[in-house]
Amino acid sequence: MSKIRLALVGLGKIARDQHLPAIAADDRFELVAIVSRNADLEGVAHFTTLADLLASDVAVDAVSLCTPPQPRHPLAHLALAAGKHVMLEKPPGATLSEVEDLRLTAAARGLTLQTTWHSRYAQGVAPARAWLADKAIKAVRIDWREDVRVWHPGQTWIWEAGGLGVFDPGINALSIATAILPRPFFLTGAVLHVPENCQSPIQAELDFVDAAGAPVRAEFDFLQTGPQSWDIAVETDAGVLKLSHGGAKLFIDGELLHEGPDAEYAGLYDAFARLVADAASDVDVSPLRHVADAFLLGRRVVAPAFIE
């Protein structure tokens, strides 16, 4: 099989830290172009707009979109219209309607569309899902706390409408929860703390209940300093399962059972290559749907202004 000639759209922190190493390590891909208004990559064709790339003589099979979510829909639509497979960095769009439109467009053209949830490829997630499959869930606790100044320095888009604020990392927790819990869960209430100078929350508390009535509590915090916390604890009839370090470590009743290196984006690109080979798509919006529910149902309170 010939290599998938890939264009990377957006060359910010996540693209440099995660996408570029994953692409370089997977011999099924060849990075042939970068699209960015502000950055380029030595030895790779550079364009300032996706339209310029698609009008050029650079042959491209697929596009990986690493832009903020707000402008992503027209870019993805443009790539699909040009016959290119598309990978969408999370969150896959600013709205559910945008993603549904892209799903229908990709299906109509026989192209691959992938919504990516990198945290689902953390080392402990698959074994956690397998262990929980036949357990009775009693309660779930999600604590996702990190320092926005460390992980999103200078990224003002995250505070704008559609930027998600603390739900940008929080959606990673929801992507894991929707993958490992054996029953669906539904939002019953939420509190969103929105800085007076921002449009999106900096902290959030969410209460869910699963289909059998088990409570699911999630707390997201963008103001955590010192040690960062990315933990999910599930109390069951057979003991307590805990995923820590964003899913990299799996404990059962305090005993470490699984631990592995960070291979989340390698997992994403492996899945993308297999989808392209199979002429298939993977469009899962369940984590984004929970975020949308929080914005619909959540009570907003004014928080102090955020000054980076």
Side-chain angles (χ1 to χ4, degrees):
M1 179 180 174
S2 59
K3 290 191 176 186
I4 299 169
R5 296 166 296 189
L6 184 73
L8 193 62
V9 181
L11 194 59
K13 179 175 173 58
I14 195 69
R16 291 185 181 276
D17 291 352
Q18 299 291 350
H19 287 261
L20 290 179
I23 295 165
D26 194 323
D27 61 10
R28 291 167 294 182
F29 292 95
E30 178 187 1
L31 183 63
V32 297
I34 295 291
V35 177
S36 173
R37 291 176 297 177
N38 305 309
D40 58 13
L41 190 66
E42 186 177 356
V44 180
H46 174 252
F47 300 86
T48 56
T49 71
L50 180 57
D52 288 343
L53 166 60
L54 296 175
S56 76
D57 59 359
V58 175
V60 174
D61 302 309
V63 171
S64 180
L65 290 176
C66 302
T67 66
Q70 296 96 323
R72 197 171 300 152
H73 176 255
L75 293 171
H77 211 286
L78 184 63
L80 291 170
K84 315 305 178 187
H85 307 293
V86 174
M87 172 191 280
L88 300 169
E89 174 61 85
K90 66 89 188 173
T95 70
L96 291 164
S97 297
E98 289 181 354
V99 183
E100 177 63 8
D101 175 65
L102 296 177
R103 183 188 69 81
L104 294 173
T105 301
R109 294 179 175 272
L111 296 167
T112 292
L113 179 68
Q114 182 194 32
T115 54
T116 63
W117 305 107
H118 63 82
S119 291
R120 289 180 174 175
Y121 292 89
Q123 295 296 307
V125 173
R129 178 171 58 250
W131 191 85
L132 289 169
D134 60 353
K135 306 299 188 296
I137 308 300
K138 295 182 177 180
V140 181
R141 171 78 186 200
I142 302 171
D143 288 289
W144 225 254
R145 306 171 188 275
E146 65 181 50
D147 188 342
V148 66
R149 295 178 175 90
V150 171
W151 298 100
H152 295 279
Q155 296 180 11
T156 56
W157 62 265
I158 207 167
W159 302 113
E160 299 170 0
L164 296 192
V166 75
F167 284 98
D168 183 79
I171 204 170
N172 295 335
L174 294 171
S175 74
I176 294 176
T178 52
I180 67 172
L181 295 178
R183 294 186 296 267
F185 53 94
F186 310 95
L187 189 71
T188 59
V191 179
L192 311 181
H193 303 261
V194 182
E196 61 184 7
N197 61 337
C198 300
Q199 298 297 317
S200 57
I202 199 165
Q203 295 168 312
E205 298 91 40
L206 301 92
D207 287 298
F208 305 86
V209 63
D210 80 358
V216 179
R217 171 76 173 184
E219 296 188 4
F220 302 150
D221 187 355
F222 239 166
L223 295 174
Q224 178 86 343
T225 57
Q228 311 284 277
S229 303
W230 302 291
D231 303 322
I232 299 177
V234 185
E235 181 184 354
T236 79
D237 61 339
V240 176
L241 176 147
K242 182 178 181 181
L243 284 169
S244 70
H245 294 74
K249 295 183 178 182
L250 169 63
F251 300 84
I252 303 294
D253 288 336
E255 180 184 357
L256 179 63
L257 296 186
H258 291 277
E259 180 179 9
D262 179 3
E264 295 178 10
Y265 279 81
L268 286 182
Y269 276 94
D270 172 66
F272 188 50
R274 288 186 285 108
L275 288 169
V276 171
D278 295 340
S281 287
D282 181 5
V283 184
D284 178 11
V285 296
S286 55
L288 183 59
R289 186 181 294 115
H290 283 304
V291 173
D293 287 350
F295 278 92
L296 279 170
L297 195 58
R299 177 171 60 88
R300 289 164 173 76
V301 298
V302 178
F306 174 76
I307 307 296
E308 188 169 8

